[in-house]
Amino acid sequence: MEIATATLTTAVQAVKLVVSAYDGYERGRFMKTDEAVRAEIQRRCQMLTLHAEKLERDAHEKGHREIRQSLGRVIESIQTYQRDAQFALSGTSLSSHSGIGKLKAKAVRKLVSHDSASLNSLVEATRMANALAEAVSQSSEEEIQTMVAEWHHKINQTRNHFLERNMFIDGLIKR
């Protein structure tokens, strides 16, 4: 089993573990479950940052300035996403957010589905990073730049999806 496959297998298992913890939302352990989801997102973001930093170094060594600059912007986006997960409105026990712990069953189901989609989207972003790492030695500079742009778009899409979760916490379950 090569490293990318092992990493992917571990990632899928981690997502399954976090998703299986959702009974916490149902049994009044909202803060603990919320913290676990956000911690998994932060861990995934750290992994993506490490991927991007390695790719950035490789681009620098090859003299691909535009790719290196694009990867710098990707790193900034990932770190912003990581901070969003760390400081999410529902993320502290001192939060004055009135919706915490008072979710109706329908809102809980929507939140579970939404968080699961956010975590799965991060797994897809990790797959894209692995594909990009493999393509660096086999693709042209233009192809790599396109892949970096697609990866950056995926990360921003994933981040925006995560930011929508507060509407479920607020009880606004219609999208």
Side-chain angles (χ1 to χ4, degrees):
M1 187 182 305
E2 61 184 76
I3 293 175
T5 305
T7 303
L8 185 58
T9 302
T10 303
V12 170
Q13 292 300 327
V15 169
K16 286 180 182 177
L17 179 64
V18 171
V19 171
S20 70
Y22 278 115
D23 66 332
Y25 283 138
E26 307 257 347
R27 296 190 183 138
R29 295 188 311 258
F30 184 95
M31 297 303 289
K32 186 175 179 182
T33 305
D34 176 67
E35 186 177 320
V37 170
R38 290 181 308 99
E40 178 62 16
I41 288 171
Q42 291 175 66
R43 187 185 71 77
R44 290 233 138 254
C45 286
Q46 184 61 34
M47 288 173 50
L48 289 172
T49 299
L50 294 174
H51 273 293
E53 288 172 344
K54 163 85 169 77
L55 292 168
E56 186 181 41
R57 284 190 304 273
D58 292 347
H60 177 74
E61 289 172 5
K62 292 183 178 187
H64 297 162
R65 184 174 182 218
E66 288 181 28
I67 294 173
R68 188 192 65 204
Q69 290 172 341
S70 294
L71 287 165
R73 289 188 292 275
V74 168
I75 291 169
E76 289 173 11
S77 293
I78 295 168
Q79 290 172 341
T80 300
Y81 184 15
Q82 189 172 10
R83 282 190 302 276
D84 287 344
Q86 180 181 0
F87 298 113
L89 182 61
S90 60
T92 78
S93 58
L94 301 174
S95 178
S96 60
H97 193 276
S98 60
I100 294 176
K102 299 176 185 174
L103 295 178
K104 294 185 178 3
K106 188 173 182 181
V108 169
R109 285 191 300 274
K110 290 281 190 174
L111 181 60
V112 168
S113 176
H114 188 270
D115 283 351
S116 178
S118 292
L119 293 169
N120 285 326
S121 190
L122 278 168
V123 170
E124 290 174 33
T126 303
R127 286 182 183 141
M128 291 177 81
N130 290 335
L132 184 58
E134 290 177 15
V136 165
S137 63
Q138 303 166 0
S139 302
S140 70
E141 191 172 348
E142 293 80 26
E143 291 171 325
I144 295 169
Q145 184 67 23
T146 299
M147 290 178 77
V148 170
E150 290 169 355
W151 186 38
H152 194 188
H153 176 72
K154 179 64 174 177
I155 291 165
N156 285 329
Q157 182 182 38
T158 302
R159 176 179 174 236
N160 289 336
H161 185 267
F162 171 76
L163 292 173
E164 292 176 354
R165 77 191 301 265
N166 279 336
M167 73 181 179
F168 299 112
I169 295 168
D170 288 334
L172 304 172
I173 55 177
K174 294 181 182 167
R175 284 181 74 177

